[in-house]
């Protein structure tokens, strides 16, 4: 307190120097805000655990997952009607004629890199017609030995299939709209005709029943379609692109694709086509949320200013305090820019503490300053006294909260470390600015008013004989000097309401029972909460492209996610080679695996190249496969293959398609095969099935795990879905650890400080007790109000601790200060709650209103964050003024009993109430 008093006197001697100093620091730090990377970076949460490291090795050594551009087709009738199918063909043709084609890469399902329901329907029809034609033709030519000697049903069918993979756009339209396709047959002098009737959707079940490629329709059509049906309301048209496209280039391509879709849409009524990609969705979200946040931000600022008008009733105080808040936020992001930090979702919460604690500091400093002026002190004396008294409570709250947030520095995730450092920076910035800039600016203004003889405060209407009647009467009965008694402070009506906290304190049993009941309910709700990560939560409501993105997850068995089984060691081992089939079998048993999408592995690539029915078929590789791996042509890996057989297959893969092979197989500098990855398509349903995906991937990796320790060095189930689960678990554990550390350190600090200054050993523990209840109430409130625990709202415990400690420390510190003056516990508690409670009310009201307005944001996590923050602040305030007084009074009774019992001191019992009324 002495140090703060000295600091206050220094400000009084040279206020201009401190004001200019703060402004200069703000200007310098403001310059560095431009270095703060504002783009949200998923890598900010990356950990160094085994799963995350393995995921990074897959991306670095084997390449990232391919990108995708999607066009959502919606029809009021049926997207499997000829009209929508023709629209898909029109779009495919337009894409191939545009520069969008340059971004497309081939996929195992389609050499053109385009996945379309129209293609699958056409292939299914083509397959059935060609199969029927083949059987009819071979049956008609059994007696023709010149033909049958070079052509059988299998060879003819393979010829048809090869043709099917290379249909022209006109031939594809012939399949849908009716027509003839000519197929060159090696043994025939003229092409064979395949005749296609006009496509009728009602006949689709017959086409898809036997067609092997028809299963893919369940992946590209909405869930109202299943194999065997003929209708669907929506469809996906997917372009496979290069991974990690430059964002600007990706946006250009996505907008071009939308332009092509709009042109095609003009020719097809009752059909809506929307291009969906990361960048075009982000642009729409930013435009919508930017305008929304501008409106909400203005509303919040206006609301906060109106509350400050009610609390301060001074335009100068409002302007200075709001300016101080803006400067504190500039300090935070300026420091972030200097340290090279990048943005992540949890940083959204940083300004909350700056605003919540900053305005709290400002209100306390201002109201205490006015209280000192009413005692008859001049400007310099009042400013110094306010700095020394309430500044001490602010310092305590700041130190304890700083330590708690800095405990996040030990977290495994960089995003959590950044979250802790920036929150600590924000709290420290708010503290420095509020005890420096605001008092200095106020001294400059009030010294001038003092010199000119202008009143420093508005006169209060008080009773002539008793300006603070009940406390002065009590002070007089205790023999106190009149100038030592409390003076009016805060807002009378609020003071009167808050005094009920003391009236409740004299009936502790009812307060404790109520607290136990409410805390029990809160704990019940809290244990029901589970951390979730659903990217749909971050898509704004009412924006067409974001609603379409939600529809893809909600209405389709679509997945752009991959899980990996990373195998490291000597993967040329026959046992490892055989185990790849076992991994696939285990994977297909999982309920989160997308069965309509192919699994990628060296084994699957080899089977693809050796299968005559595949568009990637290579006859030379087929010969090599059957001479090394499947000699008896039973589609099984022979039991007696050796290392040289496996190596021969791997060498051929790199020879035929080195780019595709390098995505699943790795060689060292000596051309030894030292690793492979099995890429498994999974669907977490936007995080809903995250736990199930982890279980399925671990189950899939088991066959390789059983070989670990022999030829293999390491087997790891990994991939982005598994990494996201690890990150979310780490965020939850980090926040829990931070709260525990904050409690422990705060308890030590408060215990030491209160013991040294007030000889009160257990006062620190008493001050922190309501905070435990507030956290339970807040988490329980989240459950009952259906607010999810995600990467944004998971930080609420830390925010609750930050604000809750501050509120509690102010009440306890003021109580001890008033107890020293009044010498009566009940009266001291009433005065403390009334004085400090009024300031806390103003602080809490500004924060609650500001973030209640945020609950109307169109970005759901921000709306949820606004709701839970408002809820948390309200609970922290109510606990500090209606629950903490009961604990303080119980502590005081216990302390007095101890002093009477063991020290023999003559201390009167506490009275039931402090006589008198609040003016």
């Amino acid at each position: 307190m002495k140090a703060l008093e000295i600091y206050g006197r220094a400000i009084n001697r040279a206020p201009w120097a401190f004001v200019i100093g703060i402004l200069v620091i703000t200007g310098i730090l403001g310059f560095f805000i431009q270095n703060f990377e504002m783009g949200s970076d998923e890598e900010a949460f990356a950990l160094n655990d085994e799963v995350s490291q393995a995921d990074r090795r897959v991306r670095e050594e084997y390449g990232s997952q391919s990108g995708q551009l999607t066009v959502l087709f919606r029809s009021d009738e049926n997207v499997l009607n000829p009209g929508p199918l023709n629209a898909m063909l029109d779009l495919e043709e337009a894409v191939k004629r545009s520069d969008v084609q340059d971004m497309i890469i081939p996929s195992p399902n389609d050499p053109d890199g385009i996945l379309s329901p129209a293609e699958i329907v056409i292939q299914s029809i083509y397959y059935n017609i060609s199969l029927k034609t083949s059987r009819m033709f071979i049956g008609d030519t059994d007696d023709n030995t010149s033909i049958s000697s070079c052509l059988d049903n299998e060879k003819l069918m393979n010829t048809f299939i090869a043709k099917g993979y290379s249909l022209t756009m006109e031939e594809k339209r012939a399949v849908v709209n009716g027509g003839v396709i000519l197929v060159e047959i090696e043994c025939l002098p003229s092409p064979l005709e395949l005749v296609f009737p006009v496509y009728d959707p009602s006949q689709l079940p017959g086409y898809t029943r036997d067609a092997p490629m028809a299963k893919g329709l369940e992946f590209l059509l909405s869930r109202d379609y299943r194999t065997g049906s003929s209708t669907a309301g929506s469809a996906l048209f997917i372009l496979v692109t290069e991974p990690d496209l430059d964002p600007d280039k990706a946006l250009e391509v996505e907008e071009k694709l939308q332009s092509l879709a709009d042109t095609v849409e003009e020719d097809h009524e009752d059909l809506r086509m929307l291009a969906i990609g990361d960048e075009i969705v982000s642009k729409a979200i930013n435009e919508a949320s930017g305008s929304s946040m501008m409106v909400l931000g203005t509303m919040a600022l206006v609301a906060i200013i109106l509350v400050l008008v009610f609390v301060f009733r001074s335009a100068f105080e409002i302007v200075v305090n709001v300016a101080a808040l803006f400067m504190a936020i500039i300090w935070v992001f300026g420091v972030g820019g200097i340290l090279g930090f990048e943005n992540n979702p949890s940083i959204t919460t940083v300004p909350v503490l700056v605003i919540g604690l900053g305005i709290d500091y400002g209100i306390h400093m201002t109201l205490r300053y006015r209280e000192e002026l009413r005692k008859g002190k001049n400007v310099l004396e009042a400013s110094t006294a306010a700095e020394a008294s309430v500044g001490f409570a602010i310092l305590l709250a700041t130190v304890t909260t700083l330590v708690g947030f800095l405990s996040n520095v030990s977290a495994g995730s960089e995003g959590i470390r950044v979250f802790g450092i920036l929150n600590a920076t924000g709290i420290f910035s708010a503290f420095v600015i509020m005890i420096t800039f605001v008092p200095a600016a106020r001294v400059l203004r009030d010294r001038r008013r003092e010199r000119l003889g202008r009143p420093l405060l508005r006169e209060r209407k008080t009773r002539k004989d008793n300006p603070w009647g009940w406390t002065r009467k009590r002070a007089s009965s205790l023999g106190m000097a009149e100038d030592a008694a409390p003076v009016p402070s805060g807002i009378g009506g609020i003071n009167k309401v808050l005094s009920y906290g003391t009236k409740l304190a004299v009936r502790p049993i009812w307060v404790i029972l109520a607290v136990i009941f409410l805390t029990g309910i809160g704990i019940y709700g809290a244990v029901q909460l589970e951390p979730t990560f659903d990217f749909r939560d971050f898509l704004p409501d009412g924006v067409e492209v974001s609603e379409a993105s939600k529809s893809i997850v909600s209405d389709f068995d679509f997945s752009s996610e991959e899980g990996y089984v990373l195998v490291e060691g000597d993967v040329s081992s026959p046992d490892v080679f055989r185990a790849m089939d076992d991994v696939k079998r285990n994977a297909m048993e999982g309920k989160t695996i997308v069965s309509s999408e192919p699994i990628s592995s060296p084994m699957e690539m080899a089977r693809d190249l050796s299968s005559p029915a595949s568009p990637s078929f290579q006859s030379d590789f087929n010969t090599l496969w059957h001479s090394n791996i499947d000699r008896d042509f039973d589609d099984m890996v022979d039991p007696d293959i050796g290392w040289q057989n496996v190596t021969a297959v791997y060498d051929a893969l790199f020879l035929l398609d080195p780019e595709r092979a390098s995505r699943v197989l790795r060689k060292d500098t000596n051309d030894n095969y030292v690793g492979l990855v099995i890429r498994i398509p999974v669907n977490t349903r936007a995080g809903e099935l995250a736990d199930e995906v982890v279980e399925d991937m671990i189950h899939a990796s088991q066959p390789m795990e059983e070989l670990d320790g022999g030829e293999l060095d390491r087997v790891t189930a990994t991939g982005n879905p598994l990494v996201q689960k690890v990150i979310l678990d780490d965020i939850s554990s980090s926040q829990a650890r931070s709260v525990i550390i904050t409690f422990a350190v705060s308890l030590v600090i408060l215990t030491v400080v209160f013991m040294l200054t007030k000889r009160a050993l257990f006062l620190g523990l008493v001050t922190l007790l309501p905070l435990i209840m507030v956290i339970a109430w807040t988490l329980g409130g989240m459950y009952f109000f259906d607010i999810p625990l995600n990467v944004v709202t998971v930080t609420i415990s830390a925010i609750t601790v930050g604000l809750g400690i501050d509120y509690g420390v102010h009440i306890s510190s003021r109580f001890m200060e008033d107890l020293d003056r009044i010498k009566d516990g009940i009266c001291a508690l009433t005065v403390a709650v009334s004085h400090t409670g009024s300031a806390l009310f103003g602080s809490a009201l500004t924060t609650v209103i500001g973030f209640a307005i945020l609950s109307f944001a169109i970005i759901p996590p921000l709306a949820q964050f606004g709701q839970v923050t408002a809820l948390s602040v309200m609970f922290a305030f109510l606990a500090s003024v209606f629950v903490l007084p009961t604990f303080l009074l119980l502590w005081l009774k216990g302390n007095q009993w101890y002093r009477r019992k063991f020290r023999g001191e003559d201390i009167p019992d506490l009275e039931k109430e402090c006589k008198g009324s609040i003016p």
Side-chain angles (χ1 to χ4, degrees):
M1 294 179 68
K2 189 67 176 177
L4 287 170
E5 184 179 344
I6 294 172
Y7 186 69
R9 289 173 179 169
I11 292 175
N12 293 338
R13 282 195 293 268
W16 272 113
F18 284 91
V19 169
I20 293 173
I22 293 294
L23 293 175
V24 169
I25 294 173
T26 302
I28 294 172
L29 292 176
F31 174 79
F32 288 100
I33 289 180
Q34 61 185 330
N35 297 335
F36 190 87
E37 185 60 49
M38 297 308 292
S40 180
D41 186 3
E42 190 176 290
E43 289 296 318
F45 290 102
L47 303 172
N48 286 320
D49 66 292
E50 184 179 0
V51 172
S52 301
Q53 289 178 350
D55 182 65
R56 285 194 288 272
R57 289 199 300 276
V58 169
R59 287 185 279 115
E60 292 169 0
E61 298 171 359
Y62 299 88
S64 300
Q65 183 177 344
S66 300
Q68 290 181 339
L69 298 179
T70 304
V71 178
L72 176 64
F73 280 69
R74 283 176 169 166
S75 173
D76 294 335
E77 298 179 357
N78 181 12
V79 292
L80 292 173
N81 283 341
L85 295 185
N86 276 300
M88 295 177 198
L89 293 177
D90 292 343
L91 181 59
E92 179 181 344
E93 185 175 30
V95 166
K96 290 180 177 179
R97 289 179 176 177
S98 71
D99 52 6
V100 175
Q101 175 68 29
D102 299 335
M103 298 294 105
I104 301 175
I105 61 175
S107 74
N109 274 4
D110 195 310
D112 293 332
I114 299 176
L115 306 177
S116 163
E119 287 287 338
I120 296 178
V121 170
I122 289 169
Q123 289 295 328
S124 298
I125 297 172
Y126 180 90
Y127 176 83
N128 280 271
I129 296 297
S130 59
L131 181 62
K132 180 179 179 181
T133 303
S134 174
R135 289 170 178 169
M136 292 176 57
F137 180 76
I138 294 299
D140 291 341
T141 59
D142 282 342
D143 296 332
N144 191 330
T145 56
S146 64
I147 294 178
S148 61
S149 62
C150 70
L151 188 66
D152 57 22
N153 189 63
E154 182 179 354
K155 289 183 180 179
L156 181 58
M157 195 62 200
N158 287 339
T159 302
F160 284 149
I161 289 174
K163 172 63 177 177
Y165 284 121
S166 59
L167 295 178
T168 65
M169 196 58 62
E170 290 73 18
E171 290 171 333
K172 292 177 181 179
R173 289 194 174 95
V175 175
V176 176
N177 304 317
V180 175
I181 295 178
L182 301 177
V183 182
E184 296 286 345
I185 305 297
E186 183 178 354
C187 295
L188 298 181
S190 60
L192 187 64
E193 290 186 351
L194 294 179
V195 181
F196 296 88
V198 175
Y199 163 68
D200 181 356
S202 65
Q203 298 175 353
L204 184 61
Y207 293 130
T208 58
R209 185 181 304 112
D210 300 320
M213 69 289 294
K215 186 69 175 176
L217 285 175
E218 293 187 1
F219 168 70
L220 295 174
L221 296 175
S222 49
R223 290 197 185 110
D224 53 347
Y225 170 87
R226 281 294 177 263
T227 300
S229 60
S230 58
T231 61
S234 304
L236 301 179
F237 179 97
I238 298 174
L239 309 181
V240 182
T241 66
E242 299 174 359
D244 302 324
L245 283 178
D246 175 75
D248 293 335
K249 182 64 176 177
L251 178 60
E252 180 183 342
V253 171
E254 291 166 13
E255 289 180 334
K256 177 64 175 179
L257 181 61
Q258 181 62 65
S259 176
L260 296 175
D262 289 340
T263 301
V264 172
E265 186 181 314
E266 293 174 359
D267 299 327
H268 298 273
E269 295 182 0
D270 300 325
L271 190 63
R272 181 71 178 108
M273 300 162 63
L274 281 173
I276 302 169
D278 291 342
E279 301 306 321
I280 202 169
V281 170
S282 295
K283 180 181 178 181
I285 290 173
N286 290 337
E287 289 177 350
S289 61
S291 59
S292 170
M293 292 307 294
M294 182 68 70
V295 173
L296 292 177
T298 303
M299 289 173 60
L301 181 61
V302 169
I304 289 174
I305 289 175
L306 289 176
V307 173
L308 292 180
V309 168
F310 174 70
V311 175
F312 288 150
R313 305 180 186 184
S314 165
F316 172 81
E317 298 287 4
I318 294 171
V319 171
V320 169
N321 278 273
V322 170
L325 291 178
F326 278 112
M327 287 191 286
I329 294 173
I330 290 172
W331 282 30
V332 171
F333 291 104
V335 170
I338 292 173
L339 298 177
F341 289 159
E342 295 182 348
N343 191 27
N344 66 70
S346 67
I347 289 178
T348 308
T349 67
V350 174
V352 177
L353 278 175
V354 175
I355 293 172
L357 287 176
I359 200 64
D360 176 76
Y361 295 168
I363 290 174
H364 277 290
M365 290 292 293
T366 301
L367 295 188
R368 187 54 183 264
Y369 170 72
R370 292 178 178 179
E371 182 181 337
E372 297 298 332
L373 287 177
R374 290 192 179 98
K375 291 180 180 179
K377 296 178 181 179
N378 61 32
V379 170
L380 300 183
E381 291 171 343
S383 180
T384 302
E387 196 89 16
S389 56
V390 77
F392 177 69
I394 292 174
L395 176 62
L396 272 182
T398 300
V399 171
T400 53
T401 312
L402 274 178
V403 173
F405 281 112
L406 288 177
S407 67
N408 285 299
V409 173
S410 62
S413 165
E414 182 184 353
I416 297 300
R417 293 195 295 270
V418 170
F419 167 77
I421 292 171
L422 287 185
N423 268 315
T425 302
I427 294 166
F428 180 75
S429 301
F431 170 73
V432 171
I433 294 173
M434 286 298 180
I435 70 166
T436 303
F437 174 79
V438 173
R442 187 186 295 121
V443 166
L444 287 172
R445 195 276 307 258
D446 285 357
R447 282 172 60 181
R448 182 172 179 274
R449 294 171 68 91
E450 198 173 44
R451 286 195 302 270
L452 296 175
R454 296 178 181 176
L456 299 178
L457 295 172
R458 292 183 179 181
E459 294 297 329
R460 284 174 169 247
K461 293 181 180 180
T462 58
R463 294 195 297 272
K464 295 180 180 180
D465 60 334
N466 197 4
W468 190 253
W470 56 282
T471 53
R472 287 187 176 272
K473 180 187 292 185
R474 184 67 173 166
S476 177
S477 68
L478 293 171
M480 295 177 59
E482 184 175 335
D483 60 356
V487 296
S489 177
I491 301 168
I494 295 174
N495 289 338
K496 187 167 186 176
V497 172
L498 297 182
S499 69
Y500 285 103
T502 306
K503 294 181 179 180
L504 290 173
V506 298
R507 299 172 179 83
I509 186 64
W510 297 108
V511 174
I512 292 173
L513 288 175
V515 165
I516 291 174
F517 175 73
L518 293 174
T519 304
I521 294 176
I523 292 173
Y524 169 79
V527 298
Q528 310 300 317
L529 284 176
E530 292 186 4
T532 60
F533 181 82
D534 187 339
F535 88 86
R536 289 174 294 180
D537 289 342
F538 292 85
L539 298 175
D541 298 324
V543 179
E544 186 178 31
V545 70
S546 71
E547 294 296 335
S549 296
K550 295 178 185 178
S551 173
I552 289 179
V553 177
S554 303
D555 301 337
F556 290 82
D557 285 324
F558 165 81
S559 174
S560 59
E561 301 169 292
E562 281 185 346
Y564 308 130
V565 176
L566 177 61
V567 183
E568 296 168 292
D570 187 354
V571 296
S572 298
S573 162
D575 290 336
V576 174
F577 191 77
R578 273 189 291 268
M580 281 189 274
D581 275 339
D582 297 329
V583 169
K584 179 180 179 181
R585 184 190 64 249
N586 281 15
M588 298 307 293
E589 294 173 356
K591 62 181 179 181
T592 63
I593 307 303
V594 182
S595 58
S596 56
E597 277 289 277
I599 292 175
S600 298
S601 71
M603 176 71 79
E604 294 307 306
M605 180 181 176
R607 291 189 187 280
D608 188 44
L609 293 174
S610 65
S611 172
S614 166
S616 305
F617 173 68
Q618 296 285 337
S619 58
D620 290 342
F621 186 84
N622 177 276
T623 302
L624 181 143
W625 175 261
H626 288 294
S627 62
N628 283 276
I629 304 298
D630 183 18
R631 303 183 189 93
D632 54 4
F633 291 83
D634 63 352
D635 291 328
M636 302 288 289
V637 177
D638 293 340
D640 59 345
I641 64 171
W643 301 64
Q644 69 281 2
N645 302 115
V646 176
T647 302
V649 170
Y650 288 168
D651 289 342
L653 296 181
F654 273 97
L655 181 65
L656 291 171
D657 194 342
E659 183 176 348
R660 184 178 173 187
S662 65
R663 290 181 57 78
V664 293
L665 199 56
R666 189 168 75 89
K667 296 190 290 186
D668 63 13
T669 53
N670 297 319
D671 287 337
N672 297 316
Y673 293 99
V674 295
L676 63 84
V677 64
I678 303 173
R679 299 173 180 265
I680 302 174
V682 296
N683 190 354
T684 65
R685 298 279 174 88
E688 182 180 336
L689 300 178
D691 291 335
E692 289 82 353
V693 166
V694 173
E695 293 173 4
D696 288 347
M697 288 302 303
I698 291 175
H699 177 63
S701 67
Q702 284 301 313
M704 288 295 182
E705 291 279 4
E706 293 171 1
L707 301 177
D708 194 3
E711 296 86 4
L712 299 181
D713 300 327
R714 188 165 39 190
V715 176
T716 312
T718 185
N720 191 61
L722 284 79
V723 171
Q724 290 289 349
K725 182 67 170 60
V726 171
I727 289 173
L728 199 57
D729 290 344
D730 179 73
I731 291 173
S732 301
S733 61
S734 295
Q735 291 310 297
R737 183 171 59 250
S738 174
V739 170
I740 292 171
I741 292 175
T742 303
F743 265 101
V745 173
S746 299
L747 179 59
V748 172
I749 292 175
L750 293 180
T751 298
V752 171
V753 171
F754 284 135
M755 185 63 191
L756 293 177
T757 59
K758 306 295 182 182
R759 309 301 296 173
L761 179 62
F762 295 105
L763 186 57
L765 177 62
V766 172
T767 302
L768 292 177
L769 276 179
L771 204 49
I772 301 174
M773 303 159 195
V774 170
I775 292 176
W777 299 348
T778 302
L779 295 177
M782 290 177 65
Y783 171 73
F784 290 110
F785 289 108
D786 198 24
I787 302 173
L789 192 64
N790 54 38
V791 294
V792 176
T793 58
V794 76
T795 61
I796 194 60
S797 293
I799 293 172
T800 301
V801 170
L803 293 174
I805 287 180
D806 178 69
Y807 292 172
V809 166
H810 279 297
I811 292 288
S812 295
S813 297
R814 186 57 191 257
F815 168 64
M816 295 303 294
E817 182 181 338
D818 288 329
L819 185 62
D820 288 341
R821 292 185 305 173
I822 301 176
K823 307 299 182 184
D824 179 271
I826 299 294
C827 285
L829 190 59
T830 305
V831 173
V833 172
S834 299
H835 278 164
T836 308
S838 187
L840 291 182
F841 174 80
S843 170
L845 188 60
T846 54
T847 308
V848 168
I849 290 178
F851 289 97
I853 289 174
L854 187 61
S855 67
F856 295 100
I858 64 171
I859 304 293
L862 292 183
Q864 294 156 1
F865 181 68
Q867 295 162 5
V868 74
T869 301
L871 193 67
S872 173
V873 172
M874 181 182 68
F875 285 153
F877 168 72
L878 293 176
S880 67
V881 296
F882 292 114
V883 177
L884 181 56
T886 297
F887 292 168
L888 289 174
L889 205 57
L890 289 174
W891 167 81
L892 182 60
K893 289 180 178 180
N895 181 269
Q896 291 181 345
W897 173 85
Y898 174 82
R899 290 164 62 186
R900 284 196 301 267
K901 180 76 173 176
F902 296 100
R903 294 184 181 178
E905 298 182 22
D906 184 18
I907 302 175
D909 291 332
L910 292 174
E911 296 191 24
K912 291 295 183 182
E913 60 180 331
C914 188
K915 305 298 183 182
S917 60
I918 300 177

